[in-house]
């Protein structure tokens, strides 16, 4: 392939990628809003994703994660770490808690479901200032059926998705 052909191919793919990306973002937002409403109205958290002919290709699930430990007061948190785990303080012009320790500590608190830390050496349980359990945003997860992606590709190649996905760019679509 010549450089000119490669440049043309890359330009076309970039334009399609950008258009598909915007369409996907909008579709996912609509899907999430619909699943959130369905959960509130009927308790539904999962729906089958089907091709126009009715063949299921995936399951779409609204995932509502449990709250996670989050540092909400950096100064109080840093002061506590300085008093109880000074080895995890990284001294610079500013005092900061080592990122790996923050990640580990918050993961422990998230798993426990409370903003507390248990010192394994002493057994003392500490309420950690500057940390709170914060709700996490629900999100939508797509779980593909075994042959789901292959079926989508087949339907795309057969022109069965022209009216559903980017009709303005596919044969048979409307402008």
């Amino acid at each position: 392939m010549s450089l000119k052909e490669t440049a043309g191919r890359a330009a076309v793919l970039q334009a399609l990628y950008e258009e598909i990306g915007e369409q996907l973002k909008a579709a996912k937002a609509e899907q999430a809003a619909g699943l959130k409403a369905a959960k509130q109205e009927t308790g539904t958290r999962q729906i089958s994703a089907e091709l126009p002919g009715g063949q299921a290709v995936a399951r779409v699930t609204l995932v509502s994660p449990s709250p996670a430990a989050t540092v909400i007061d950096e100064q109080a948190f840093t002061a506590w770490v300085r008093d109880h785990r000074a080895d995890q303080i990284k001294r610079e012009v500013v005092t900061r808690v080592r990122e790996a320790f923050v990640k580990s500590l918050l993961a422990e608190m998230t798993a426990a479901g409370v903003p507390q830390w248990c010192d394994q050496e002493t057994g003392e349980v500490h309420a950690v200032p500057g940390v709170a359990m914060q709700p996490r945003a629900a999100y939508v997860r797509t779980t593909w059926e075994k042959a789901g992606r292959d079926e989508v590709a087949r339907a795309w190649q057969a022109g069965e998705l022209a009216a559903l996905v980017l009709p303005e760019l596919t044969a048979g679509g409307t402008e």
Side-chain angles (χ1 to χ4, degrees):
M1 188 178 283
S2 74
L3 179 57
K4 188 170 188 104
E5 291 168 328
T6 301
R9 179 174 186 259
V12 167
L13 289 172
Q14 182 67 40
L16 290 171
Y17 176 79
E18 290 170 3
E19 180 63 25
I20 289 169
E22 289 301 314
Q23 295 282 335
L24 177 60
K25 195 182 302 180
K28 283 190 169 197
E30 186 177 343
Q31 171 183 264
L35 273 171
K36 287 176 186 175
K39 181 183 175 198
Q40 288 178 342
E41 292 170 15
T42 65
T44 301
R45 294 173 12 107
Q46 189 175 80
I47 189 164
S48 177
E50 300 176 350
L51 295 176
Q55 180 175 4
V57 293
R59 287 180 318 281
V60 179
T61 306
L62 179 65
V63 179
S64 300
S66 54
T70 307
V71 174
I72 59 169
D73 183 339
E74 188 73 34
Q75 289 181 333
F77 177 72
T78 300
W80 178 85
V81 173
R82 187 175 41 245
D83 292 345
H84 297 281
R85 288 295 308 269
D87 62 309
Q88 295 300 321
I89 295 292
K90 182 178 177 183
R91 302 233 181 246
E92 297 175 338
V93 175
V94 232
T95 302
R96 285 191 204 136
V97 180
R98 296 178 194 275
E99 273 306 307
F101 182 69
V102 172
K103 185 176 179 180
S104 170
L105 192 61
L106 293 178
E108 283 183 43
M109 289 186 267
T110 295
V114 292
Q116 298 176 345
W117 175 74
C118 179
D119 185 326
Q120 296 299 313
E121 292 179 17
T122 66
E124 184 179 358
V125 176
H126 299 265
V128 182
V131 177
M133 299 304 292
Q134 299 281 358
R136 293 186 276 184
Y139 62 93
V140 174
R141 176 181 59 221
T142 300
T143 307
W144 290 93
E145 299 293 342
K146 188 173 183 178
R149 291 178 191 265
D150 292 338
E151 283 302 313
V152 169
R154 183 207 54 75
W156 177 262
Q157 290 168 348
E160 297 170 12
L161 305 180
L164 182 63
V165 179
L166 301 173
E168 64 276 16
L169 299 179
T170 56
T174 57
E175 219 23 59

